[in-house]
Amino acid sequence: MKVAIFGAGLSGLSCAITLEKHGVNPSIFEKRSCVGDRFVNAEAMFSILERPVKDGLSYLSEVYGIHLEPISETNHLMIHSLNGESSVEGKIGYTNIRGRHENSFENQLSRQVKSKINFNFLKEYTEISKDFDSIVLATGDGDYSIKLNNYRCDITCSLKGATVEGTFLTSEPHVWFNYDILPKGYAWLIPYSQKEANLVIAFPEYPQAEIYDIDKMWKLMFDLACRDLRQSLKITDRFQIIHYIAGICESPKIGNTYFVGNCFGALSPGLGFGQFSSILTGIYAALDICNLAHYDDLVKPLFENYNHSLALRRFLEGLSNDDLDRIVKRSNLKFADTLISRLLSSDSSFDLLKWLTPLLSK
Ligand SMILES: Cc1cc2nc3c(=O)[nH]c(=O)nc-3n(C[C@H](O)[C@H](O)[C@H](O)COP(=O)(O)OP(=O)(O)OC[C@H]3O[C@@H](n4cnc5c(N)ncnc54)[C@H](O)[C@@H]3O)c2cc1C
């Protein structure tokens, strides 16, 4: 059986590993000159967003034999609003590294792949697809799905980020909801190590956002992060992304063509998490290609998760700074704190988003 995978990122490489486990050696085509050849950044995987799975990394390892080492467990999440600050404690999830770093998730996956990766592939996939029995589109965005009229875009975002030097606890990411600086958006800081972290701002690109000055927003957020962390952070590397699309395909598979990762709609519109779903879609496509399961059935819960996440996004966008302050301060109350920590924990399988969606949508 001849399988072509376009894109050697999280979903494409997970697909390749799973195919190889079942005796199929795919041909992998990657646009860049090596795996993860882009800026380094830190990302997170939070258990609450992976339900019904309790612990994403253990699940991938135990159930699918895909082994990934995080930077750290997250057991302390700091949440900042305009006038509030609170922390959530417990087994919240993990942080990990991406991009041009030997331990980035994509580099860890590529070391588990035996098939050849054809780098610097700059053709359209259609130019060679007729030579293959199955095509897996894993290019990390909705472009091909859009071209095939198979995609609904729900939101596009601008992001600007930097690597900063300072003193950090690797188990403690920070998130800021401050609509004065980032209307309808948010910012986060995820440490790579005790000395380096990634600080990123993200906000939706609605028509009114055209007048926003992203450099000014970044500067204000950087100053706020320095103030809240009580230290002078030093910027060492920067990146910027515009029109980062969150959307979802209509059909996860058309004929012999599979849409996986962000091509499928793995990126959640709520808070921009997409790693776990991307890896799952790659695995699921491989299982279908090997006639071990049906891709359409396997991705049904991911469609549901996406819709819950979209409800969360709309809800967050409807809040004011005062609402955000109230929510953040409430989570400082002892009983709320304990409850939130339990719900977020990877010891629980409670699907909070699923249960909240009907309330958020009102
Ligand atoms: C700044 C930022 C922060 C994020 N933070 C988080 C986070 O904290 N937690 C989380 O869960 N998610 C996060 N995400 C989302 C997450 O990174 C993505 O959902 C995930 O990487 C998507 O995986 P993928 O396999 O679809 O694409 P990728 O892993 O991006 O892989 C796509 C690959 O395809 C290649 N490619 C592109 N076009 C072509 C082509 N035409 N032909 C061949 N190859 C091609 C690319 O070079 C790349 O190697 C973040 C995203 C960004 C941008």
Side-chain angles (χ1 to χ4, degrees), residues 5-13 29-32 34-39 41-46 50 96 98 106 118 121-125 137-141 144 159 188 190 198 200 239 241 244 260-264 266-268 271-279 281:
I5 299 175
F6 295 90
L10 298 192
S11 56
L13 294 170
F29 300 93
E30 165 57 47
K31 178 173 84 169
R32 294 191 164 114
C34 63
V35 169
D37 191 16
R38 65 154 172 87
F39 60 88
N41 70 313
E43 299 192 359
M45 290 176 65
F46 288 167
E50 295 163 358
N96 63 278
R98 297 292 309 272
E106 46 272 67
N118 302 282
F121 177 79
L122 296 175
K123 294 180 188 169
E124 287 287 305
Y125 83 95
L137 296 178
T139 51
D141 56 39
Y144 279 141
L159 298 103
W188 64 90
I190 303 179
N198 198 215
V200 184
F239 70 85
I241 301 174
Y244 192 54
V260 304
N262 286 1
C263 294
F264 160 80
L267 183 74
S268 67
L271 293 168
F273 286 72
Q275 296 191 104
F276 184 62
S277 298
S278 291
I279 295 171
T281 52

Side-chain angles (χ1 to χ4, degrees), residues 153-361:
C153 169
D154 286 312
I155 184 170
T156 67
C157 287
S158 292
L159 298 103
K160 191 174 178 77
T163 296
V164 291
E165 286 180 357
T167 305
F168 310 105
L169 289 173
T170 51
S171 57
E172 187 182 271
H174 291 249
V175 60
W176 285 264
F177 292 94
N178 182 321
Y179 286 180
D180 278 358
I181 299 178
L182 295 168
K184 303 183 195 295
Y186 57 106
W188 64 90
L189 178 133
I190 303 179
Y192 308 131
S193 68
Q194 288 171 358
K195 292 188 178 146
E196 275 190 317
N198 198 215
L199 178 65
V200 184
I201 63 168
F203 57 90
E205 295 169 346
Y206 291 124
Q208 63 270 32
E210 273 175 27
I211 55 160
Y212 297 164
D213 179 343
I214 191 168
D215 294 328
K216 191 172 165 199
M217 291 158 111
W218 162 259
K219 174 81 177 70
L220 288 170
M221 194 56 233
F222 176 78
D223 291 345
L224 183 63
C226 290
R227 192 199 76 187
D228 287 348
L229 273 65
R230 293 175 197 85
Q231 49 182 308
S232 302
L233 301 171
K234 185 181 158 209
I235 297 175
T236 58
D237 193 19
R238 296 170 189 266
F239 70 85
Q240 185 168 325
I241 301 174
I242 54 162
H243 305 316
Y244 192 54
I245 302 180
I248 192 143
C249 64
E250 304 288 335
S251 309
K253 180 185 171 194
I254 300 178
N256 67 346
T257 304
Y258 296 78
F259 300 85
V260 304
N262 286 1
C263 294
F264 160 80
L267 183 74
S268 67
L271 293 168
F273 286 72
Q275 296 191 104
F276 184 62
S277 298
S278 291
I279 295 171
L280 284 183
T281 52
I283 296 170
Y284 293 165
L287 295 177
D288 186 306
I289 291 167
C290 297
N291 287 322
L292 294 167
H294 292 290
Y295 191 51
D296 298 79
D297 294 339
L298 291 173
V299 295
K300 268 184 195 150
L302 300 182
F303 274 109
E304 265 182 50
N305 284 354
Y306 180 92
N307 288 330
H308 298 150
S309 182
L310 189 57
L312 174 66
R313 168 106 310 268
R314 302 295 180 227
F315 171 76
L316 286 173
E317 290 182 358
L319 297 177
S320 64
N321 273 323
D322 286 346
D323 297 328
L324 289 162
D325 279 341
R326 268 193 292 276
I327 293 170
V328 166
K329 285 178 184 165
R330 192 163 299 163
S331 61
N332 262 339
L333 297 175
K334 190 74 198 143
F335 81 92
D337 201 19
T338 311
L339 181 67
I340 290 168
S341 297
R342 287 218 177 127
L343 293 177
L344 282 171
S345 165
S346 54
D347 290 333
S348 153
S349 55
F350 185 72
D351 192 342
L352 184 64
L353 263 191
K354 179 176 169 183
W355 289 99
L356 274 181
T357 298
L359 299 172
L360 299 182
S361 309

Side-chain angles (χ1 to χ4, degrees), residues 20-34:
E20 288 173 4
K21 283 186 196 300
H22 295 96
V24 176
N25 290 317
S27 301
I28 308 169
F29 300 93
E30 165 57 47
K31 178 173 84 169
R32 294 191 164 114
S33 57
C34 63

